[in-house]
Amino acid sequence: QVQLVESGGGLVQPGGSLRLSCAASGSIFSIRSMGWYRQVPGKERELVARSTTGGDTNYADSVKGRFTISRDNTKNTVYLQMNSLKPDDTAVYYCNTIVILPDTYKYLEVWGQGTLVTVSS
């Protein structure tokens, strides 16, 4: 069993900043990637940013230069620093991880419960 616990969402004015956190816990052999996706009603969930354990990171074009993903591998935690927020960034943000399970060494994809980010004046 692997769980993700997110925190850090809320209401912020345009131009403001927020930092999201997501911690993975449970039966984990290793983590292959951690990242953030977002979804607004009526639209598909989209990638915001992702970081692989190999050191690769990728961002959605819409957030490049404004958002930064980082990880604390000692805590199995991923962060998303969001600056210069815009109303279009309003969405439910979901943490995502791909882990390798102990014993079986199978891959497992896990989603967090989501945290709402609202950018509005």
Side-chain angles (χ1 to χ4, degrees):
Q1 194 82 352
V2 178
Q3 300 85 33
L4 294 175
V5 177
E6 303 157 343
S7 62
L11 173 64
V12 63
Q13 292 187 342
S17 298
L18 279 177
R19 190 174 86 149
L20 305 182
S21 300
C22 173
S25 63
S27 187
I28 299 171
F29 175 73
S30 69
I31 294 178
R32 303 306 297 165
S33 70
M34 297 190 81
W36 294 92
Y37 290 71
R38 66 186 181 187
Q39 189 171 24
V40 297
K43 292 189 176 182
E44 292 188 356
R45 192 172 296 186
E46 63 174 5
L47 174 69
V48 177
R50 183 173 58 196
S51 169
T52 69
T53 301
D56 295 327
T57 58
N58 53 297
Y59 295 89
D61 287 343
S62 59
V63 306
K64 284 181 181 177
R66 300 187 298 122
F67 291 11
T68 302
I69 189 169
S70 62
R71 287 171 57 178
D72 182 341
N73 293 324
T74 65
K75 298 180 180 179
N76 287 345
T77 299
V78 62
Y79 306 95
L80 185 67
Q81 178 66 44
M82 305 185 291
N83 298 329
S84 303
L85 283 160
K86 305 174 182 179
D88 283 350
D89 295 317
T90 296
V92 177
Y93 284 70
Y94 294 91
C95 181
N96 171 275
T97 186
I98 297 175
V99 304
I100 298 177
L101 301 175
D103 299 330
T104 63
Y105 303 106
K106 289 184 178 179
Y107 284 68
L108 177 67
E109 183 175 33
V110 183
W111 292 91
Q113 78 282 3
T115 184
L116 177 62
V117 172
T118 303
V119 184
S120 174
S121 56

